[in-house]
Amino acid sequence: MKKIALFFLAVCMLIPAIGMAAPEYTFVRIENLPEQEIGERLLKEVYKRAGIEIEVEAMSGVRALEAASSGEKDGEALRIWSVGEKYPSLIRVPTPLSALTTQAFVRKDSNITLSSPDELKKFSIAITRGVAHTKDITAGLENVHEVPSEDLLMPFVEAGRAEVALTSLENGMVILKNAGINDVVPVEKPLKVHPLYHYVNEKNKNLVEKIDAVIKEMTASGELEKLQKQYAADILKN
């Protein structure tokens, strides 16, 4: 009798799991970056409208690229254009999903001004390992320090270990707020604005046309921009 009761208990526990639809695809994104959190939410909405269930896992930038390009995962939530040039196994969905800025942050008392990427060569710079847009803009420069996580960027500059920190504007502001740092500020203008694209591993190239059509439709209607602003406000507020 006891064995029968245990059997029925096991069956009852399985029923909810059987009824739940497993995600069809698993994508990755860079962890601890606000623009990537925004991208994840945008991507889920796009795929929902396409009638496809997905999940998105957060990883370090390097690990995410490895998982997506190798086919271990189904692709990247969003990355800059150059990722598609460097990783042929990642197929770019043509219409941008979002955008980010490459923004410089400096100490208030430094009197540093920056109006173009060319001026970066004058300074010592902190970037986060595995983040492509800051890696690209500092390519060939000598005095570049790669820190292992984003939350170390502003303390690095505050302590005088680098003169400039590079990240996105949204991410930098969140880091400053969370760390309670008041003597590091963004320079007036971004150094570069990057469209961000969704990438699928080549094994899922059949997705490209369908997902691109949804992104185009949401872009044309203004929904994509509206959602991006809403998600950005949510993240900064919380």
Side-chain angles (χ1 to χ4, degrees):
M1 194 68 160
K2 185 176 180 181
K3 290 182 178 179
I4 294 174
L6 288 172
F7 171 76
F8 278 107
L9 178 61
V11 170
C12 290
M13 292 175 67
L14 283 172
I15 288 173
I18 293 170
M20 293 172 61
E24 296 179 53
Y25 301 95
T26 300
F27 298 104
V28 292
R29 69 166 175 86
I30 305 174
E31 61 190 359
N32 302 323
L33 290 178
E35 70 270 9
Q36 291 279 326
E37 294 180 41
I38 294 167
E40 174 181 340
R41 294 177 68 177
L42 289 173
L43 192 68
K44 285 180 175 177
E45 182 62 29
V46 167
Y47 272 85
K48 180 181 177 182
R49 296 186 185 206
I52 300 171
E53 186 76 20
I54 68 167
E55 66 178 7
V56 179
E57 294 183 12
M59 301 178 175
S60 70
V62 173
R63 177 74 184 97
L65 275 173
E66 289 174 352
S69 61
S70 69
E72 176 188 340
K73 301 298 181 181
D74 291 302
E76 282 260 13
L78 72 168
R79 288 275 190 164
I80 62 175
W81 175 275
S82 65
V83 165
E85 308 298 303
K86 296 174 182 177
Y87 295 85
S89 62
L90 292 176
I91 310 301
R92 185 188 306 110
V93 175
T95 306
L97 179 66
S98 184
L100 67 82
T101 61
T102 301
Q103 182 75 42
F105 288 79
V106 300
R107 284 182 59 97
K108 280 182 182 178
D109 57 8
S110 68
N111 296 317
I112 292 174
T113 58
L114 286 165
S115 57
S116 76
D118 289 339
E119 296 176 10
L120 288 172
K121 61 188 176 184
K122 304 175 186 176
F123 307 104
S124 57
I125 302 163
I127 64 173
T128 306
R129 187 178 302 126
V131 178
H133 73 103
T134 56
K135 183 75 171 178
D136 286 352
I137 206 169
T138 57
L141 301 184
E142 293 181 359
N143 203 1
V144 178
H145 308 274
E146 288 189 306
V147 299
S149 65
E150 288 282 320
D151 57 0
L152 298 176
L153 280 175
M154 303 308 168
F156 207 82
V157 171
E158 185 184 37
R161 299 179 66 186
E163 296 169 285
V164 177
L166 297 179
T167 185
S168 70
L169 177 61
E170 295 86 353
N171 188 52
M173 298 308 293
V174 168
I175 295 170
L176 291 173
K177 180 181 177 182
N178 290 343
I181 295 175
N182 299 310
D183 54 356
V184 176
V185 294
V187 299
E188 187 175 352
K189 294 180 180 179
L191 294 173
K192 196 167 184 179
V193 178
H194 308 266
L196 293 173
Y197 300 85
H198 175 43
Y199 287 87
V200 299
N201 185 272
E202 58 190 352
K203 67 182 181 181
N204 301 313
K205 61 184 178 182
N206 59 299
L207 288 172
V208 172
E209 186 174 346
K210 185 173 186 177
I211 298 306
D212 192 53
V214 177
I215 296 175
K216 280 181 177 177
E217 181 181 339
M218 292 179 69
T219 300
S221 68
E223 289 179 275
L224 202 65
E225 183 179 4
K226 182 179 178 181
L227 286 173
Q228 182 176 357
K229 288 180 179 179
Q230 177 188 322
Y231 297 156
D234 289 346
I235 288 172
L236 287 172
K237 182 179 178 180
N238 296 325

